[in-house]
Structures are given as structure tokens and as C-alpha cells.
Amino acid sequence: GVEVALRKERRVDEIEEGRTKRRRAAADDATDGDVGPAFPSSIGRLTTLRFLDMSSNLLRGTIPRSVLGLPQLEVFHASSNDLEGTFPHFESDALRVLDLSRNRFHGRLHGDLFGHPDV
């Protein structure tokens, strides 16, 4: 199987009401501003991908359909980005771990998540 983990972190200082507060933020070599890159749809071409960790990469927008349709995906981490929209529906029956925390998703999770109709 294939495993992909893309993480590159940097420290960013924020000034909030006269105090300096530290927070972790992902850095992208191609982006040097407030707007992060879109989630790369080309990952969807990795049809044997089993593990994908895209956490803390300042990704914005939605998760591409090509990624949602990966047939063998077991673990998907995309926490701490700027992803948005309704909760995505992953088509993989192999999916066992899903972390979409600290994003801007809304709505209801799909009833057949993780292959269990009662989740």
C-alpha cells in the first residue's frame, strides 16, 4: 500500500489584545500569505493509497471528489486546515480512521460512515 504524509510546520506569532500568543501553523513553500493552497486533487490518482495525512497544511476549500473516491483508503487525517462545506462522503469501505477536526465543515455525517449504518 501507499502512505502519504505532507507536513511542514512553522511557528507564527499572533498579537491578541496586547498579548503575544503562539500558535502552530502549516507552511507551504508556494504560499506566503493568509490564503493556503487548495487540496490537491491529483492525490485521487493514487488508487492504492491506504493512509493519507494532510493535517496542518493550511489547505482551503473542499476535499476533491477524486480523493473521496479512493477505494482502499483506511486512514484519513486532514485536521487543522481551512477546509469547508458539508461533511464529505468517503466511498471507501476500508475507512477506519477519519479526522476532520478544526476545519469548517457543517451538516450531518453520512449514515454509512465506516460501513456502519448507525454511526
Side-chain angles (χ1 to χ4, degrees), residues 42-63:
S42 58
I43 290 175
R45 289 184 280 188
L46 303 172
T47 58
T48 60
L49 189 67
R50 294 177 42 220
F51 306 96
L52 180 59
D53 187 343
M54 299 294 283
S55 300
S56 302
N57 277 290
L58 294 177
L59 297 173
R60 62 175 169 72
T62 60
I63 299 171

Side-chain angles (χ1 to χ4, degrees), residues 4 6 36-44 49 52-55 57-68 70 73 76-79 81-83 90 99-100 103 105:
V4 175
L6 300 176
F39 200 110
S41 61
S42 58
I43 290 175
L49 189 67
L52 180 59
D53 187 343
M54 299 294 283
S55 300
N57 277 290
L58 294 177
L59 297 173
R60 62 175 169 72
T62 60
I63 299 171
R65 288 188 187 273
S66 61
V67 173
L68 298 175
L70 287 169
L73 192 62
F76 183 81
H77 293 279
S79 64
N81 283 295
D82 193 23
L83 299 171
F90 288 84
D99 185 355
L100 299 173
N103 283 290
F105 291 110

Side-chain angles (χ1 to χ4, degrees), residues 93-104:
D93 290 333
L95 189 65
R96 297 291 173 253
V97 177
L98 176 64
D99 185 355
L100 299 173
S101 62
R102 294 181 298 279
N103 283 290
R104 296 185 295 142

